[in-house]
Amino acid sequence: DSGVTQTPKHLITATGQRVTLRCSPRSGDLSVYWYQQSLDQGLQFLIHYYNGEERAKGNILERFSAQQFPDLHSELNLSSLELGDSALYFCASSVDSDNEQFFGPGTRLTVL
Amino acid sequence: GNSVTQMEGPVTLSEEAFLTINCTYTATGYPSLFWYVQYPGEGLQLLLKATKADDKGSNKGFEATYRKETTSFHLEKGSVQVSDSAVYFCALLNQAGTALIFGKGTTLSVSS
């Protein structure tokens, strides 16, 4: 158990819908990262937050957004969902940048 | 830009065989390098890491040496077990320390 929790574990929804994925980092970690794992793209970095502020963006679509709250949990919002958004979404946390990242168990999103 | 290339899988071995999974990288400077492992249905776990040239990371019988001359970080284990069956990902930390860049992953299957 990495200490990073993600909810829900599975999510099934329809095209055009909006969903929110939640992540709670390890106690004491200020950085949260989101990654997408899909069969065709592999594991891709989406976005990084540190202590409530966005630090870096990767290959994140404009339909996707994220935030980190004062209690340090983070949410990834995916809107106008398409079939191709079906993937495993991982959250990771670390004390700060340049430190080891600990991954949560992931949320499996299926868009029908 | 940054990229990681891993050998294609799947790799199929008998128990107690020697394992090598090749990994090479392209990056600016000398990034920290990692091997992560993903067991079926689970998130990613850090297996080992190396933060500078000639460092050797090791854990659970696995080893990898940071070779800047060949920009490589090959994973090795002298005697694999059935319980090592998983997907292995090579990754580098980008220069800003804000994101992990992953290879496509190599599936290892060990039979008794």
Side-chain angles (χ1 to χ4, degrees):
Chain A
D1 185 352
S2 66
V4 179
T5 60
Q6 289 187 248
T7 56
K9 190 163 183 169
H10 300 279
L11 201 47
I12 301 174
T13 188
T15 54
Q17 295 298 305
R18 172 188 169 93
V19 297
T20 297
L21 314 183
R22 183 187 169 103
C23 168
S24 293
R26 292 186 323 152
S27 176
D29 284 357
L30 299 178
S31 271
V32 170
Y33 311 78
W34 286 96
Y35 293 85
Q36 180 194 58
Q37 184 179 32
S38 62
L39 280 175
D40 51 343
Q41 299 290 329
L43 259 167
Q44 291 206 308
F45 166 70
L46 296 178
I47 198 162
H48 169 209
Y49 275 82
Y50 173 78
N51 203 20
E53 292 191 4
E54 183 185 301
R55 271 272 179 98
K57 265 186 175 178
N59 296 322
I60 187 166
L61 300 170
E62 284 192 15
R63 301 183 285 109
F64 295 2
S65 65
Q67 52 184 328
Q68 187 179 25
F69 294 86
D71 68 351
L72 300 177
H73 91 271
S74 177
E75 292 180 357
L76 179 67
N77 299 296
L78 316 176
S79 62
S80 303
L81 285 167
E82 302 175 359
L83 296 177
D85 298 327
S86 296
L88 255 175
Y89 291 84
F90 287 108
C91 167
S93 74
S94 68
V95 172
D96 193 354
S97 307
D98 268 345
N99 282 280
E100 176 182 336
Q101 294 182 22
F102 294 85
F103 281 76
T107 292
R108 181 171 292 283
L109 173 66
T110 303
V111 182
L112 300 175
Chain B
N2 298 319
S3 67
V4 175
T5 303
Q6 297 182 228
M7 62 187 286
E8 297 280 332
V11 174
T12 305
L13 295 173
S14 299
E15 209 165 22
E16 299 184 3
F18 184 86
L19 168 71
T20 300
I21 300 178
N22 290 336
C23 170
T24 57
Y25 67 90
T26 302
T28 306
Y30 303 108
S32 295
L33 300 174
F34 305 83
W35 277 100
Y36 279 84
V37 58
Q38 185 177 28
Y39 297 102
E42 297 184 14
L44 286 89
Q45 299 175 26
L46 178 66
L47 183 57
L48 53 84
K49 66 178 181 182
T51 58
K52 60 184 190 296
D54 299 325
D55 264 2
K56 178 186 280 190
S58 60
N59 185 27
K60 299 180 182 180
F62 291 89
E63 293 183 341
T65 301
Y66 192 143
R67 303 277 189 209
K68 71 173 182 180
E69 306 84 7
T70 53
T71 60
S72 65
F73 192 54
H74 304 321
L75 182 68
E76 296 182 337
K77 187 175 185 184
S79 175
V80 294
Q81 305 300 312
V82 171
S83 57
D84 294 326
S85 299
V87 182
Y88 292 81
F89 292 91
C90 184
L92 64 83
L93 188 63
N94 68 355
Q95 197 167 27
T98 54
L100 286 168
I101 311 299
F102 287 91
K104 296 249 182 226
T106 302
T107 300
L108 170 65
S109 179
V110 181
S111 57
S112 57

